[in-house]
Amino acid sequence: MTIVWLLAFLITFGVLAYHQASLSVWALGLGLFLLLFSALGHTAMPVWGASWLLFLVLFFPLLYTPWRRRYLAKPILAFYQNSMPVMSRTEREALNAGTVSWEGDLFSGRPDWNKLLALPLPQLSQEEKDYLDGTVETLCSMIDDWELTHQRGDLSPVIWDFLKKEGFFGLLIPKEYGGKGFSNYACSQVQIKVQACSVSAGTTVSVPNSLGPAELLLHYGTPEQKSYYLPRLACGEEVPCFALTSPNAGSDATAMTDWGVVCKAMHEGQTVLGIRLNWNKRYITLAPVATVIGLAFKLFDPDHLLGDKEDIGITCALIPRHTPGVQVGRRHMPLSARFQNGPTQGKDVFIPLDWIIGGPAMAGHGWRMLMECLAGGRAVSLPAVTTGGAKAAVFASGAYGRIRKQFKQAIVRFEGVSETLARMAGNLYTMDSARLFTLGSLDRGEKPAVASAIIKYHITERARSIGNDAMDIHGGKGIILGPKNYLGRSYEAIPIAITVEGANILTRNMIIFGQGAIRCHPYVFAEYEAARLKDEKKALVAFDKAIFAHLGFTLSNLVRTFFLGLTSGRLVPAPNSRLKAYFQQATRFCSAFALLSDLSMMVYGGGLKRKESVSARLGDILSQLYLLSSILNRYHQDGSPAEDLPLVHWTAKTCLYEIQQRFEELLHNFPWKSLAFVLRLLIFPFGKHFAKPPVRLGSQITSLFIAPTETRKRLTSGLFTAPCDLNPYYQLEVALLKTIQAEPIEKIIRKAAYEGEVKGYHFQEQAQMAFDKGIITLEQYDIFKQADEARQAIIAVDDFSPEELVRA
């Protein structure tokens, strides 16, 4: 009976903890258990008497709010306030920027998968489709990337005029200001199509539609600033740039030494209150050709002309190029790309106060403005341009792998090449799913700060992997630059995306979990805000509510992690589909992640901020859960096509394996070894059984990308494949179709050669002899010749005279 009652108690405790019951429900549940125990139990009175005493001693203080706050919450609050890390104003503004979307559900430990599947992917309007199919394709047909990068070093005047005339610089500017008023998704699709044709052209289009003057004006500009600048930006009359990075302030942008002092000076014949500026910026895209410069600088008011504060803070202003003291025009050369990028300096530049974006009232609010815009903007341009390059690489590598032959067979028939192509396709499916999922959030009005950091890092890193794999498949074809090389320039430019808008090392090690733990956790941000309140009474009330809910949350995840580990998540309610197991495993790992996050914050305290190897791996787990969610959502929104299942299985298995590995790395390096041992038993009670996707799954994926299948069409949609002399993707598709048509004929010729019916020094001679002997028909011979000519054109590379290699 003792064992029975003990089991009953553990079940009651587990159910209450699993469902994160409130204190009152805990008291009610355990009280009812004790009543039954007292009435039906076969134990001595001292046992159940002691049980009731323990129950009352434990729950009465917890349920009596004044006592709990005074003797429990108050000391914990004091300890918390003394131990929490010092946070600068700029750090607080970065944390407050943006909104929390699905990543908050993941941090809860119990995501609602039906809610996930109900989130629609973004769609294009008819106007947006027409623009993509018409205007954007016209632009793509005009681009000669070799001429642009090697000979001209810039877009041609014709292309510059076309970009301005057709509204490429105002895709997101509302129609009321003369812009296109497109969705974030449409803007992303435009950038994908252009980027796949030319990194230089794609970057030129992306920057005015990303973080910069237009977006800052839309959110914070005064009515006068909007009315003046937005129509000019939309039509290309004004070309914008935004200057943030300084020689001594890269990832740590707040360390900028660019400064302005409030003073009075002459402007247009009048003495006005303004700012005397000095700056030295670099890496500024479009700066050499910009007509208006968005500038971030530190503003000081030593004479207190604006108020009591001397150090006002980071401020953003718009400065016309012709303003005296402004220096622009010189160019950087970002690897082999030729988009306009360069430094800008300003010496004793005087501007009126109303040139501050948002007017004088927004002085000192520049960092908040930048962080809020970056929270959303980072999810559009960089994911678009890198996904565009990845789509092109997968499209080209699949075709090239079947067109190119070595050892008398297509190179994709070799397992090493097949495995590489499958990895490329799997990475692209993950990238595109995450891009679409996050764009959906943006177009619903969210500004997902943490999600944008996740996809910035993981999409650009996967693009790097795809670029390397594409070069491996293409071999010498990918190395030799020239008009025939459709990979080289994109491959060379990959580090640009890795570096900008938060270098990837910084993003992984500090931003994803550093911001995610505070913004996405159900209670940490509430605790932090409560601890900062100056009113002690309000602080105690708010902290008491948050900290005890947090303790219940941690206890719940402790029980859930153990239970879900024992059952391998099989009892978790999940959408009834062929992918049910992935939803269940994701729920299991969400609970374990929430638990380990809480324990890491407890063990490391404020020092977790400096334990980048820990926060990086916690961020990896959150990221993989987000990527897995986007994959499951995309498959559902695509209509659950059966032919895409190999891709879904490959990517989902990869995510689960990576999550498992990051957990193991964290536990292996956990400072409290005894706690790490217990956690390993809780999370992996039967050991680690997730593995990388099997080779057979990769082979299934490969078969989908070496032929014109619906899966290939879906995943590489958005590329410019229209008939055009300068379009390598059209030429690859034509050659692929001819190759597929010729393959049965080539088998006939090889069989005849093996049996000695035809001879020749090379395959073309054998084909001619097969035709002469009637082994193949004239129609078959023509098909073979067309395929061979198309193959030779695709595998050809360029050569130059020494004079041709010298740029004009």
Side-chain angles (χ1 to χ4, degrees):
M1 287 302 297
T2 302
I3 293 174
V4 170
W5 281 108
L6 180 60
L7 286 174
F9 172 77
L10 291 175
I11 291 172
T12 304
F13 183 92
V15 169
L16 291 169
Y18 186 93
H19 292 286
Q20 198 180 341
S22 64
L23 273 174
S24 56
V25 174
W26 268 98
L28 179 63
L30 292 179
L32 288 173
F33 172 82
L34 284 176
L35 283 173
L36 288 173
F37 177 67
S38 303
L40 304 176
H42 297 277
T43 56
M45 180 178 176
V47 175
W48 58 261
S51 300
W52 274 107
L53 180 62
L54 180 63
F55 172 78
L56 293 172
V57 168
L58 178 64
F59 278 97
F60 180 77
L62 290 175
L63 290 171
Y64 184 56
T65 303
W67 193 97
R68 185 186 69 236
R69 287 178 181 168
R70 181 176 180 181
Y71 294 104
L72 293 177
K74 189 174 182 179
I76 298 173
L77 174 59
F79 174 79
Y80 184 93
Q81 289 171 327
N82 290 329
S83 61
M84 70 180 190
V86 177
M87 194 173 295
S88 67
R89 174 188 170 187
T90 52
E91 286 179 305
R92 289 197 303 273
E93 289 176 343
L95 286 172
N96 285 318
T99 59
V100 177
S101 56
W102 178 250
E103 60 274 24
D105 292 66
L106 297 174
F107 232 113
S108 73
R110 48 177 71 203
D112 182 349
W113 298 114
N114 290 315
K115 172 186 172 182
L116 172 78
L117 297 184
L119 297 173
L121 294 180
Q123 302 293 325
L124 295 172
S125 68
Q126 189 58 51
E127 181 187 2
E128 291 167 342
K129 290 178 183 177
D130 293 342
Y131 189 80
L132 277 161
D133 295 339
T135 306
V136 180
E137 296 236 335
T138 300
L139 170 64
C140 292
S141 68
M142 298 165 63
I143 295 172
D144 181 343
D145 196 49
W146 177 251
E147 180 207 29
L148 191 166
T149 56
H150 180 71
Q151 297 170 346
R152 186 182 293 277
D154 190 9
L155 302 176
S156 70
V158 173
I159 292 180
W160 273 110
D161 290 342
F162 187 83
L163 292 175
K164 295 175 182 179
K165 177 184 175 184
E166 299 299 332
F168 280 88
F169 294 164
L171 298 177
L172 296 176
I173 294 176
K175 291 184 177 181
E176 63 187 280
Y177 296 109
K180 294 296 180 184
F182 284 172
S183 63
N184 289 289
Y185 175 52
C187 185
S188 177
Q189 292 299 104
V190 169
Q191 292 175 33
I192 279 178
K193 185 162 286 192
V194 180
Q195 181 78 12
C197 296
S198 168
V199 172
S200 301
T203 305
T204 302
V205 170
S206 72
V207 168
N209 296 291
S210 184
L211 175 63
E215 187 173 10
L216 291 170
L217 284 168
L218 281 170
H219 289 93
Y220 310 105
T222 64
E224 295 78 15
Q225 290 171 340
K226 293 179 181 180
S227 298
Y228 179 82
Y229 274 114
L230 289 176
R232 288 168 169 78
L233 291 169
C235 71
E237 181 181 343
E238 298 278 9
V239 177
C241 72
F242 191 82
L244 176 62
T245 304
S246 303
N248 294 303
S251 296
D252 181 12
T254 61
M256 67 178 72
T257 55
D258 314 286
W259 53 278
V261 175
V262 179
C263 62
K264 292 183 178 180
M266 295 294 295
H267 178 72
E268 296 181 350
Q270 296 182 342
T271 300
V272 299
L273 186 62
I275 305 168
R276 182 76 62 187
L277 286 164
N278 288 273
W279 73 83
N280 180 23
K281 303 286 191 179
R282 64 180 183 180
Y283 310 150
I284 313 304
T285 299
L286 296 185
V289 296
T291 60
V292 60
I293 301 167
L295 183 73
F297 59 92
K298 290 182 177 178
L299 181 61
F300 299 93
D301 184 14
D303 297 327
H304 302 288
L305 298 175
L306 298 180
D308 295 333
K309 289 179 65 176
E310 181 172 336
D311 184 354
I312 295 177
I314 295 174
T315 302
C316 297
L318 291 179
I319 305 171
R321 178 192 184 106
H322 59 74
T323 307
V326 173
Q327 300 174 31
V328 289
R330 294 187 63 81
R331 293 180 63 177
H332 296 311
M333 192 163 72
L335 297 174
S336 64
R338 293 296 181 269
F339 58 85
Q340 294 282 342
N341 181 280
T344 172
Q345 295 86 26
K347 184 174 177 59
D348 293 332
V349 178
F350 182 78
I351 66 170
L353 279 179
D354 57 11
W355 287 12
I356 294 173
I357 297 176
M362 295 304 290
H365 295 281
W367 190 247
R368 176 175 64 84
M369 293 159 59
L370 292 172
M371 290 300 99
E372 288 177 352
C373 288
L374 186 63
R378 185 167 48 193
V380 181
S381 292
L382 276 176
V385 297
T386 47
T387 302
K391 282 175 179 275
V394 170
F395 182 93
S397 298
Y400 188 83
R402 191 161 185 174
I403 294 166
R404 175 67 163 158
K405 289 181 167 54
Q406 292 286 277
F407 304 100
K408 299 181 181 181
Q409 63 178 333
I411 61 173
V412 78
R413 304 301 179 191
F414 294 96
E415 279 195 357
V417 175
S418 174
E419 185 178 8
T420 301
L421 181 60
R423 180 170 60 240
M424 293 174 67
N427 278 330
L428 177 58
Y429 192 84
T430 303
M431 292 169 64
D432 206 34
S433 299
R435 178 185 71 93
L436 293 171
F437 185 58
T438 310
L439 286 170
S441 296
L442 287 173
D443 284 337
R444 289 191 295 272
E446 299 280 354
K447 286 188 176 295
V450 177
S452 69
I454 288 172
I455 68 169
K456 189 278 173 182
Y457 173 79
H458 287 276
I459 286 183
T460 55
E461 286 296 335
R462 279 166 172 75
R464 171 151 53 185
S465 173
I466 287 174
N468 289 335
D469 287 340
M471 292 296 281
D472 283 350
I473 289 175
H474 281 75
K477 169 70 177 179
I479 292 172
I480 305 302
L481 288 175
K484 296 184 178 70
N485 189 322
Y486 45 79
L487 282 180
R489 294 304 194 198
S490 180
Y491 177 75
E492 290 176 326
I494 289 172
I496 299 173
I498 299 292
T499 302
V500 300
E501 291 190 10
N504 276 11
I505 292 176
L506 170 76
T507 301
R508 175 176 180 254
N509 284 271
M510 298 178 69
I511 295 177
I512 294 175
F513 184 77
Q515 192 169 19
I518 295 179
R519 287 306 309 275
C520 301
H521 194 287
Y523 305 107
V524 167
F525 191 63
E527 291 163 354
Y528 173 74
E529 289 292 284
R532 290 185 61 242
L533 290 175
K534 293 182 179 179
D535 187 315
E536 292 184 7
K537 186 175 181 180
K538 289 182 178 179
L540 183 58
V541 171
F543 188 80
D544 171 73
K545 180 180 178 181
I547 191 64
F548 283 100
H550 190 166
L551 291 172
F553 174 74
T554 304
L555 179 61
S556 173
N557 283 311
L558 178 71
V559 172
R560 286 172 59 84
T561 297
F562 182 58
F563 177 74
L564 296 177
L566 282 177
T567 60
S568 196
R570 289 187 177 89
L571 300 181
V572 173
N576 190 19
S577 72
R578 287 175 286 191
L579 307 178
K580 184 176 182 179
Y582 297 126
F583 290 106
Q584 293 173 324
Q585 294 300 336
T587 299
R588 169 191 174 186
F589 281 141
C590 281
S591 293
F593 167 70
L595 175 64
L596 189 55
S597 297
D598 278 339
L599 293 178
S600 295
M601 287 186 276
M602 180 191 76
V603 170
Y604 293 105
L608 182 58
K609 180 179 176 180
R610 295 179 293 278
K611 293 291 184 180
E612 295 172 27
S613 61
V614 176
S615 62
R617 285 158 178 80
L618 288 168
D620 288 343
I621 297 172
L622 177 61
S623 298
Q624 295 296 338
L625 288 168
Y626 185 86
L627 297 176
L628 178 56
S629 300
S630 69
I631 290 163
L632 297 172
N633 173 267
R634 193 247 177 89
Y635 181 71
H636 176 75
Q637 295 296 335
D638 279 347
S640 304
E643 58 270 26
D644 287 4
L645 274 174
L647 272 173
V648 179
H649 287 307
W650 192 97
T651 52
K653 288 178 183 295
T654 299
C655 288
L656 292 175
Y657 173 76
E658 291 297 328
I659 291 170
Q660 172 186 270
Q661 295 308 105
R662 299 296 87 74
F663 270 122
E664 176 56 31
E665 290 170 8
L666 282 165
L667 296 175
H668 182 72
N669 292 285
F670 214 65
W672 295 4
K673 297 304 178 184
S674 56
L675 180 57
F677 176 78
V678 173
L679 285 170
R680 190 176 280 108
L681 288 178
L682 289 173
I683 300 171
F684 302 112
F686 302 114
K688 302 185 294 295
H689 62 271
F690 293 100
K692 291 182 178 181
V695 173
R696 59 175 174 76
L697 198 55
S699 300
Q700 295 172 25
I701 293 172
T702 298
S703 66
L704 296 172
F705 287 87
I706 58 174
T709 64
E710 286 301 310
T711 298
R712 177 175 178 261
K713 182 179 178 181
R714 262 191 298 274
L715 193 53
T716 61
S717 64
L719 293 179
F720 176 58
T721 57
C724 173
D725 291 340
L726 298 175
N727 190 354
Y729 308 114
Y730 169 72
Q731 296 163 4
L732 279 162
E733 188 71 355
V734 170
L736 175 61
L737 294 175
K738 289 181 177 180
T739 297
I740 293 171
Q741 191 179 14
E743 283 175 347
I745 302 167
E746 292 177 359
K747 287 183 178 179
I748 296 172
I749 299 168
R750 293 193 189 282
K751 181 181 178 183
Y754 179 78
E755 294 175 352
E757 295 182 65
V758 298
K759 296 181 180 180
Y761 290 111
H762 51 76
F763 197 49
Q764 287 78 3
E765 287 185 9
Q766 294 171 358
Q768 178 68 53
M769 187 174 291
F771 168 63
D772 292 341
K773 290 189 174 185
I775 298 173
I776 59 175
T777 65
L778 175 60
E779 182 183 2
Q780 289 175 319
Y781 183 60
D782 286 340
I783 290 172
F784 166 79
K785 284 191 67 176
Q786 289 180 34
D788 187 59
E789 289 170 1
R791 178 184 302 114
Q792 297 305 321
I794 291 297
I795 68 174
V797 298
D798 297 282
D799 53 77
F800 307 91
S801 68
E803 292 75 20
E804 289 176 303
L805 286 176
V806 178
R807 290 188 178 90

